[in-house]
Amino acid sequence: MHNDPTTGATAHPSSRTGLLAVFGSTLFQLSGVFMLSPLMLVLLTEREVSTTIAGLFAATTWLGIFIVTPFASALTRRWGRRRAMWFASGVPLAAAVGFLSTDSIPVWFVLELLAGIAGGMRWVLAEALIAEFSPPERLGRTMGMYATMVGATFIIGPSLLAWAGSTGHVALGLVIALLTLGLVWTMFIPPISTPAEAGNTSVGPRGLWQAVQQHPILMLAGFIGGFFELGLASILPLYGLSMGLGASAAALLISVSGLGSTLAAIPVGMAADRFADPVRGRRSLMVAVAAVALVCAAALPLVEHAIWVAWPVVFLLGAAGSSLYTLCMTDIGAREKGIALVNCTAVLVLNYTLGGLVASGISGALIDWSATVAFPAVLILVAAVGLAALLRARRNPA
């Protein structure tokens, strides 16, 4: 193993406690959140609201994330990272109690927006804290483990809802219990020293722009990761149906993509830790991952003639998206600390989310237009642009 020469920081003295606290908090928090999200849609349906209103309610979470992410570093500087995490853990709990206490749909929208804002803060801060607490020589593995755990909560939450059922107050009570445990774990995050240069680091939109200028290739890679992992997963059932799969098999494509995302993170993170030149090594891995995405995108036209091709292609595209995000976060964590780390993480989250929104926004129309030509062509274009940019950056990995 070799330490990363791009970082002058060593692991925090309480790094093990800090990592355990962030992992534990996120496990319970996200399990509760991913149990709550489908539960609220069920409750809205029971109140006979339109599908449009239910869809807007689900989108409110993403609106909250977009609202808060540009200001995450400014809020973190004002409150400190521990208090900001307490806010991020406490607000969803308060929202869940509010859902239990009132049947007012407008109030539910407000609570969901606040929960989304808190969720955006948690997304940025938790990953920044993982990078802060992780030993430098094991940063990739730690980020991979964290990504895998987050992927597991996508399964745990809905599974708990299926077990508890959506009738009565039992499910909401379980959600509140999970969110309470998440808040309790957050309280164990140890004090974090502030780097000396933190006072000179810009925050807010200006800080985000500086992060983009410092790491443009990472932000592009984050966009592509979100495009292939987050965005494609949302429209895979439509693609499967257009290729002749049955409804159940088409829906299963999402699970296959998620399996690829979850299984890839730890091996890729561990591989990133093994290079004598960590910066160039991470860039080499990004090039390899982008090449895999390009090959898979180019194989999509074969699905029309051999439907079985869809399964490995979807698995590998999910793995590619997850791997790019993990490698980007590992690279940022190795280079930045303090508020600068929060800035860069916030920009990466924005780009990843933007990639997902672009993919989900255009893919439906592309599938309607031509599932066998237009849809693969756009995926090939995105992967090719990413591969070309990463190859160029690898030659000068500053």
Side-chain angles (χ1 to χ4, degrees):
M1 288 285 186
H2 299 267
N3 287 340
D4 192 334
T6 61
T7 176
T10 57
H12 192 277
S14 302
S15 60
R16 185 170 299 177
T17 300
L19 284 174
L20 184 61
V22 177
F23 268 78
S25 173
T26 302
L27 174 63
F28 287 107
Q29 185 87 24
L30 292 189
S31 294
V33 167
F34 293 131
M35 182 181 176
L36 180 62
S37 296
L39 173 62
M40 293 309 300
L41 293 179
V42 171
L43 295 178
L44 285 169
T45 302
E46 291 177 351
R47 283 153 181 77
E48 298 183 351
V49 304
S50 67
T51 303
T52 300
I53 296 298
L56 289 173
F57 183 85
T60 301
T61 301
W62 293 105
L63 176 61
I65 292 173
F66 270 105
I67 287 173
V68 75
T69 304
F71 306 101
S73 59
L75 292 172
T76 301
R77 172 173 285 177
R78 179 180 294 273
W79 297 339
R81 282 169 283 182
R82 294 176 75 208
R83 290 178 181 174
M85 275 290 284
W86 295 344
F87 165 84
S89 297
V91 170
L93 174 59
V97 173
F99 291 139
L100 184 62
S101 304
T102 179
D103 289 329
S104 171
I105 303 300
V107 173
W108 282 9
F109 268 85
V110 173
L111 293 173
E112 185 69 9
L113 179 63
L114 292 174
I117 288 172
M121 283 289 292
R122 163 171 283 280
W123 189 350
V124 172
L125 284 170
E127 296 195 353
L129 287 172
I130 290 293
E132 195 91 28
F133 286 126
S134 176
E137 70 277 7
R138 294 197 296 272
L139 178 57
R141 183 176 67 174
T142 305
M143 292 305 307
M145 291 172 62
Y146 181 77
T148 300
M149 186 198 69
V150 169
T153 62
F154 281 84
I155 302 171
I156 295 171
S159 298
L160 288 173
L161 179 60
W163 172 76
S166 59
T167 57
H169 298 314
V170 175
L172 266 175
L174 181 55
V175 167
I176 290 171
L178 290 169
L179 296 178
T180 300
L181 287 171
L183 177 59
V184 170
W185 273 93
T186 306
M187 299 296 181
F188 291 102
I189 296 175
I192 308 164
S193 60
T194 302
E197 70 277 8
N200 300 322
T201 303
S202 298
V203 295
R206 184 179 178 184
L208 298 189
W209 177 240
Q210 288 180 350
V212 172
Q213 291 177 309
Q214 292 168 358
H215 307 291
I217 190 62
L218 296 182
M219 303 315 163
L220 174 62
F223 175 90
I224 296 170
F227 188 96
F228 285 112
E229 182 182 17
L230 183 64
L232 287 188
S234 65
I235 55 85
L236 282 174
L238 296 178
Y239 176 71
L241 291 171
S242 70
M243 291 290 100
L245 288 175
S248 298
L252 191 59
L253 287 174
I254 297 179
S255 299
V256 173
S257 174
L259 184 64
S261 300
T262 301
L263 293 181
I266 292 179
V268 167
M270 292 178 67
D273 291 332
R274 303 297 300 184
F275 289 92
D277 183 345
V279 177
R280 190 174 294 276
R282 287 189 291 265
R283 297 298 168 83
S284 297
L285 285 173
M286 289 182 193
V287 168
V289 169
V292 169
L294 179 57
V295 170
C296 290
L300 279 174
L302 300 177
V303 174
E304 182 182 14
H305 308 288
I307 192 65
W308 65 267
V309 174
W311 302 100
V313 164
V314 165
F315 178 90
L316 290 173
L317 285 176
S322 172
S323 298
L324 281 175
Y325 186 86
T326 299
L327 289 168
C328 287
M329 195 60 231
T330 301
D331 203 69
I332 289 172
R335 294 165 176 263
E336 306 290 353
K337 296 296 173 186
I339 294 298
L341 174 58
V342 176
N343 274 334
C344 291
T345 305
V347 174
L348 181 61
V349 167
L350 280 174
N351 279 274
Y352 174 82
T353 306
L354 180 60
L357 290 177
V358 169
S360 60
I362 67 173
S363 294
L366 290 169
I367 291 170
D368 280 341
W369 181 25
S370 175
T372 57
V373 178
F375 178 65
V378 171
L379 268 60
I380 290 170
L381 176 63
V382 172
V385 169
L387 178 58
L390 287 166
L391 280 169
R392 183 175 181 180
R394 184 183 179 278
R395 291 193 288 268
N396 183 27

